[in-house]
Amino acid sequence: ETVYGLGAHAFSEKAVGEIYRLKQRPSWNPLIVHVADVAAARDLAETWPEQADELAARFWPGPLTLVVRRARHLPGIGAANDTVAIRVPAHDVALRLLEASGLPLAAPSANRTESISPTTAEHVVRSLPDVPLVLDGGASSWGIESTVLDLTGAVPRLLRPGALGLRELRDVTGAITLPESETEDGAARNSPGMSRRHYAPRARVILRKDVQDTDRSGLAEPIGVLAYEDGPFAEVLSSDPAEYAADLYAALHRLDDAGVATILVQEPPQTEEWLAVRDRLTRAAAQ
């Protein structure tokens, strides 16, 4: 329901190694484990906080990933720490796969590292042609990755903004600590999606408050435009942040497919509702 994932048995060293090989993913970037229900999630945790039960009851199945202390008998999933990131997806195909396999499945986005996340089966086939099987579940409904919340401290901490908004989370948790600084590539982390450059198309992405008045001299052509207001733009998305997010990656794929060399993006509003979209665009524009 978020983006297409590249699934493998989360606690098989060989299977997880294939994820890293196919994606060309750096070893320090951890993976999220997907399970069929809350009971399976608890089995992966050393301790299961009360807030985890409250959040799971409200938002699972759904686009929320919880980071908890990993059960001591389990190996790390691509990260040199004692935590595990877990979620229960809200998509019939994914849940049927989890139930049929009986396995916890690591499933990062099914694309090459740093490139645009896939929201259709076709995106997966083009990005990862060596993957032997793609389950086509239709276009992703959320179109953006899950929100990741770290429950290992006294106050829940946001590691990655995503499909589930902070307002809904605060209704359950109260205070949430927001990231104060950027995580350097190579540094230890409890969640994916924290790299400086990520979610990027082949074209160069440039964020501007006013894309129409941007000086285009010196920019590589052809130039595509992504905006959320009416005007003579190549791609106009919704001014509703959830609807914008749902089509963001697909729009970037379309512009890449059109062969543009530069994508001018109208900066989204500096409001909490647009936090996840701003996060993705900022990382896509990083050089």
Side-chain angles (χ1 to χ4, degrees):
E1 87 277 31
T2 54
V3 301
Y4 274 71
L6 179 60
H9 183 353
F11 300 106
S12 163
E13 183 178 351
K14 180 180 179 181
V16 169
E18 277 295 280
I19 286 180
Y20 281 87
R21 183 186 69 82
L22 287 165
K23 284 180 61 69
Q24 300 177 7
R25 185 183 182 94
S27 60
W28 40 260
N29 201 2
L31 304 174
I32 292 171
V33 181
H34 299 69
V35 294
D37 51 40
V38 178
R42 287 197 193 100
D43 288 342
L44 306 183
E46 178 184 358
T47 57
W48 188 253
E50 182 179 341
Q51 279 190 329
D53 267 333
E54 295 170 351
L55 289 162
R58 179 77 69 90
F59 301 116
W60 279 0
L64 173 65
T65 295
L66 300 178
V67 174
V68 296
R69 297 294 175 194
R70 188 179 72 248
R72 295 183 183 183
H73 69 283
L74 296 174
I77 309 99
N81 56 38
D82 64 349
T83 65
V84 60
I86 315 170
R87 87 177 184 99
V88 178
H91 193 285
D92 182 59
V93 173
L95 287 172
R96 285 164 60 193
L97 175 62
L98 287 164
E99 291 164 359
S101 68
L103 298 172
L105 298 179
S109 58
N111 58 290
R112 299 285 185 185
T113 290
E114 291 192 359
S115 62
I116 314 169
S117 297
T119 57
T120 67
E122 181 185 359
H123 294 160
V124 178
V125 172
R126 290 194 320 212
S127 182
L128 297 175
D130 294 337
V131 170
L133 175 67
V134 178
L135 296 177
D136 189 344
S140 300
S141 54
W142 287 104
I144 196 169
E145 293 82 1
S146 64
T147 303
V148 182
L149 198 63
D150 187 345
L151 300 182
T152 61
V155 178
R157 182 164 59 105
L158 180 70
L159 298 184
R160 180 178 73 183
L164 188 60
L166 286 177
R167 181 178 301 173
E168 294 94 330
L169 291 172
R170 288 197 188 100
D171 286 343
V172 177
T173 65
I176 293 176
T177 301
L178 302 183
E180 295 180 354
S181 60
E182 188 176 89
T183 303
E184 293 294 328
D185 287 354
R189 66 199 63 205
N190 294 343
S191 168
M194 300 173 70
S195 299
R196 185 183 62 84
R197 178 173 169 80
H198 207 354
Y199 316 110
R202 293 187 299 274
R204 180 188 177 192
V205 174
I206 300 174
L207 299 179
R208 290 289 185 267
K209 290 184 178 179
D210 191 331
V211 291
Q212 292 191 77
D213 291 341
T214 296
D215 181 4
R216 303 189 180 194
S217 61
L219 297 181
E221 296 185 349
I223 297 172
V225 175
L226 183 64
Y228 58 89
E229 293 177 342
D230 290 337
F233 304 123
E235 289 282 349
V236 181
L237 302 187
S238 173
S239 59
D240 175 88
E243 294 177 357
Y244 184 110
D247 200 31
L248 171 58
Y249 292 150
L252 291 175
H253 277 290
R254 290 192 293 269
L255 289 167
D256 254 357
D257 293 343
V260 303
T262 303
I263 302 174
L264 292 175
V265 180
Q266 181 183 8
E267 290 184 359
Q270 296 290 321
T271 62
E272 191 172 272
E273 289 77 12
W274 287 87
L275 180 61
V277 168
R278 291 202 313 274
D279 173 82
R280 301 310 190 272
L281 288 174
T282 300
R283 296 182 195 279
Q287 298 296 308

